[in-house]
Each structure stands twice: as C-alpha cells, then as structure tokens.
C-alpha cells in the first residue's frame, strides 16, 4: 500500500507534515509505504531530525508549490512540477493508492475531477464533515461546501456516498439517513427539500428515516445528514467555532475537544475514482497523521469498489 502525501501544502508545511508522518509511522503497519512529495532540500533536514525509518518512505522531488490563493486550473497547468500536480500524476498512473494534501483546495478539486475522474454514474463529487455526538459516537454531514446549489438527484447521490462512508470507514452497520430541514414533517422546507424527500424515501439503497432539524445535528437521531453545500458549510464553520470559543474561554470539556479539526485531519472527496483527501489549510501534525490513517482505511476497506458497485445498482434502477 502506497500513500502519497503533499509535504508542501498547508500553512505549517513541511515541518508539521513531517511531524505527522512520524506520528503515523510510529504506529502504522509495515505494509504502509509513504510517498512524500516535496522539495528535497527543504525536507531533508526535517526528515533527518525526525529520524524516520528509511524503509517506510520514499521522497519524490517537486520544484514548485501551488499557493493557497492561486487560480486552481491555471496553477495546475502552469506548474506541472508542483507537489499537487505530481501527486495526481502518481495517483493517475497507479504509482500511489491514495493522495493527500492540505494545500490549495480548488487545485485539489480540479485535479480530482479532471485527472482522476468521477466514478461512472456519479453526477458530482461531495465532501463531508464528522459530527461529534453527545454519546461519544460520530455522525456525518454532507455536502459541506463544494456544491452550494444542488438538484434533488444530487442530494440522493450524496446520501448514498455518505452511507457507504459511514458503513465502511466509520463502522456503522446500517446508517440512518436524514434530510436537513426546518421541520420533521414530510412536505416541510424549500423546493429542494420537498423534491428530495420522496426520492430519498423510495431509494432502496438508503435507510432513510425522514427530516431532521438543526437541533438534531449533534444527537444520535441519524448517522448521515444530507444537505446542499451552502447550508452544510455554514454548519461546518459554526461547529468549528465551538472549539475555538472553548479554547478562548479556557473551557475544559471533553465533548468540546472533539470539535478540534485536528482529530479528523481532512475530508475525502467522495465520488472520484481513487482515494483523494483534502486537509485543512491550518493542519498540524495530528491532522496529517489522521489524514494518512483515513487514506489507509479507504484503501483497506475497498471503499471505491463499494461505491462503484452501488452506482451500478443505481444505473440499473434508472
């Protein structure tokens, strides 16, 4: 198993990326080999200080970096030797089994869609966020930002993708799906919610239980909550602020600690043909470690194959 990691992406790279690699390798199975993509001159002293086992990683040199504010498509075209461009080249050519970056999100999305391509039948890729729940378990919310405007069919596909991720990565046996809405009753909500509800209800691949409200987001009511990316991103940013407020006010609470994005690292781009994970721009060591672990889980569980099989079923029904 070979996992590619952009060592130059993120506000605190490459130092925090190297620390994250060390944290991961300290407890990782020996069959996991990391491909570290970045400037060899910048990486060499950091890797030396970290005393990484040389048998566990390979460095692939990149002479360019795509900045956080660069235009994604233009940057990928004009910087073929950037760490992100090289990462997608390796993934596209089966030199790595997954690719991770905390760099330019737009470039990661463009690379995922146009270099790796969507799984046949998937209309749009989606990204999700983990929802810490009061009982200690986690739920999933999607989409959280890349699909601000959606059609009902998109939300149904997000529900399928989220259910598969919840089942095979998060370990939920039969994920319960809810539609985020302003009321529990069928027929509530805007035109998108009203049109989506019956499609979710009749889909045989989903364990749909109905509408859920904002007050249910952090409860154990459902395992997967579906919405369009505009609403999802508002919820995500609000949830991230819980931890920030707790830190500023010196509030010590185990539940609030679970809103720290470092615990989850990044989010997979669900719907593309290979495992691609996008990290937070301010990712530090713990986040890098957890992104690598998520990639490992996606590969080991054969999640992409499960998604392909499900969308073959979707095509048959249509």
């Amino acid at each position: 198993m070979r996992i590619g990691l952009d060592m130059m992406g993120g506000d605190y790279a490459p130092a925090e990326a190297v620390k994250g690699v060390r944290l991961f390798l300290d407890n990782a199975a020996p069959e996991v080999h990391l491909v570290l993509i970045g400037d060899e001159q910048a990486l060499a002293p950091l890797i030396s200080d970290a005393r990484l086992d040389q048998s566990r990683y390979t460095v692939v040199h990149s002479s360019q970096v795509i900045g956080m504010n660069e235009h994604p498509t233009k940057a990928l075209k004009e910087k073929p030797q950037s760490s992100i461009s090289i990462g997608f080249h390796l993934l596209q050519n089966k030199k790595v089994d997954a690719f991770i970056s905390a760099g330019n999100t737009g470039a990661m999305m463009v690379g995922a869609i146009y270099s790796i391509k969507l799984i046949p039948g998937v209309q749009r890729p989606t990204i999700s966020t983990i929802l810490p729940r009061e009982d200690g378990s986690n739920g999933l919310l999607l989409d959280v930002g890349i699909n601000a405007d959606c059609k009902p069919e998109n939300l149904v596909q997000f529900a399928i993708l989220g259910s598969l991720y919840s089942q095979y990565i998060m370990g939920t046996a039969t994920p319960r799906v809810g539609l985020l809405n302003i009321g529990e009753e069928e027929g509530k909500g805007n035109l998108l919610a009203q049109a989506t509800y019956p499609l979710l209800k009749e889909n045989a691949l989903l364990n749909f239980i109905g509408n859920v409200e904002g007050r249910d987001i952090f409860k154990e009511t459902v395992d997967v909550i579906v919405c369009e990316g505009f609403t999802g991103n508002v919820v995500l940013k609000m949830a991230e602020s819980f931890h920030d407020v707790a830190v500023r006010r010196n509030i010590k609470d185990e539940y609030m600690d679970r809103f720290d994005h470092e615990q989850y690292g990044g989010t997979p781009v669900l719907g593309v043909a290979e495992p691609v994970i996008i990290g937070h721009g301010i990712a530090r060591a713990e986040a890098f470690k957890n992104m690598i672990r998520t990639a490992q889980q996606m590969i080991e569980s054969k999640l992409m194959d499960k998604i392909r099989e499900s969308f073959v079923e979707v095509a048959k029904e249509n």
Side-chain angles (χ1 to χ4, degrees):
M1 180 191 306
R2 295 171 66 85
I3 298 174
L5 177 62
D6 172 13
M7 302 299 288
M8 311 307 290
D11 294 349
Y12 304 109
E16 291 296 318
V18 172
K19 291 177 184 177
V21 167
R22 174 61 189 269
L23 289 175
F24 176 79
L25 291 179
D26 281 347
N27 296 291
E31 62 268 18
V32 181
H33 187 88
L34 300 183
V35 178
L36 312 181
I37 308 161
D39 185 320
E40 286 181 322
Q41 188 172 356
L43 291 176
L46 297 171
I47 289 175
S48 177
D49 290 345
R51 297 181 180 180
L52 301 182
D53 182 345
Q54 293 184 3
S55 68
R56 305 296 303 280
Y57 71 91
T58 301
V59 174
V60 174
H61 178 64
S62 67
S63 58
Q64 298 172 309
V65 177
I66 295 177
M68 289 296 197
N69 297 317
E70 291 191 63
H71 187 279
T73 306
K74 183 179 179 182
L76 284 170
K77 183 178 180 180
E78 296 181 353
K79 292 186 173 181
Q81 294 304 311
S82 67
S83 48
I84 289 180
S85 296
I86 291 173
F88 279 117
H89 177 76
L90 294 173
L91 186 59
Q92 186 179 28
N93 289 280
K94 309 295 183 183
K95 302 296 184 182
V96 296
D97 303 301
F99 177 51
I100 301 163
S101 176
N104 185 303
T105 299
M108 286 296 290
M109 288 304 307
V110 170
I113 295 171
Y114 294 103
S115 295
I116 307 306
K117 311 296 185 184
L118 297 177
I119 289 173
V122 174
Q123 297 170 351
R124 297 185 187 180
T126 182
I127 57 174
S128 61
T129 189
I130 298 294
L131 297 173
R133 301 191 294 200
E134 288 187 79
D135 68 346
S137 64
N138 290 319
L140 192 72
L141 174 72
L142 69 172
D143 183 271
V144 293
I146 64 170
N147 296 286
D149 296 299
C150 294
K151 297 178 181 179
E153 295 80 8
N154 301 144
L155 296 192
V156 174
Q157 290 201 349
F158 298 165
I160 295 171
L161 292 167
S163 293
L164 292 167
Y165 189 82
S166 178
Q167 181 178 354
Y168 292 103
I169 304 301
M170 299 173 68
T172 310
T174 307
R176 299 160 297 171
V177 176
L179 175 64
L180 190 59
N181 210 328
I182 59 172
E184 294 181 359
E185 303 85 359
E186 185 172 354
K188 283 279 189 175
N190 57 17
L191 294 176
L192 176 61
Q194 293 175 24
T196 302
Y197 190 105
L199 298 183
L200 293 170
K201 186 177 180 179
E202 67 189 25
N203 193 292
L205 296 176
L206 299 172
N207 178 24
F208 179 59
I209 70 161
N211 290 325
V212 294
E213 299 181 78
R215 61 187 174 190
D216 300 308
I217 289 175
F218 303 110
K219 294 181 181 178
E220 301 78 52
T221 310
V222 294
D223 303 298
V224 178
I225 299 177
V226 182
C227 62
E228 93 296 334
F230 185 93
T231 300
N233 192 263
V234 171
V235 173
L236 168 62
K237 298 297 173 57
M238 180 187 69
E240 288 181 343
S241 74
F242 293 168
H243 181 261
D244 296 338
V245 170
V247 170
R248 286 197 299 269
R249 298 179 67 85
N250 198 30
I251 298 172
K252 305 297 182 182
D253 184 276
E254 289 184 4
Y255 180 61
M256 287 299 177
D257 290 343
R258 293 174 57 214
F259 285 88
D260 183 358
H261 73 90
E262 291 280 320
Q263 293 195 24
Y264 313 106
T267 179
V269 183
L270 297 176
V272 295
E274 304 292 344
V276 174
I277 296 175
I278 298 176
H280 206 301
I282 57 173
R284 292 189 181 271
E286 189 73 17
F288 280 105
K289 180 198 78 173
N290 287 326
M291 283 190 279
I292 302 169
R293 187 169 61 183
T294 299
Q296 179 186 359
Q297 291 176 311
M298 292 177 71
I299 297 166
E300 289 177 342
S301 67
K302 301 185 185 303
L303 177 64
M304 319 319 290
D305 290 339
K306 303 294 192 306
I307 293 174
R308 288 186 185 92
E309 292 165 6
S310 294
F311 277 84
V312 168
E313 293 299 316
V314 170
K316 288 179 180 178
E317 290 182 6
N318 294 335

